[in-house]
Amino acid sequence: RLRCDWSSDVCSSDLVISKGMIPKVDSAVKAVAAGVEKVFFIDGRLSHSLLLEIFTDAGVGTEIVGQ
């Protein structure tokens, strides 16, 4: 989970964001700042990953939310 304080452009996370994930995370943060409630990154290489994200409490992806 990535949490951002939009008033100070500060984000806190246990994640390391690098390489090809940088533009994905940047667009997700912009979407949340524009009013989208949550953004999920789901690894489509894992069998049934979308179903696991939707129907399990733990999920299998990364969730970006506003505060």
Side-chain angles (χ1 to χ4, degrees), residues 12-52:
S12 64
S13 171
D14 296 333
L15 304 172
V16 175
I17 302 166
S18 63
K19 300 183 182 178
M21 287 305 295
I22 294 171
K24 295 174 184 84
V25 171
D26 183 50
S27 64
V29 168
K30 288 178 182 174
V32 172
V36 173
E37 186 177 329
K38 297 178 183 179
V39 175
F40 295 91
F41 293 115
I42 301 170
D43 186 350
R45 299 172 295 179
L46 178 64
S47 295
H48 309 294
S49 57
L50 184 57
L51 294 174
L52 291 169

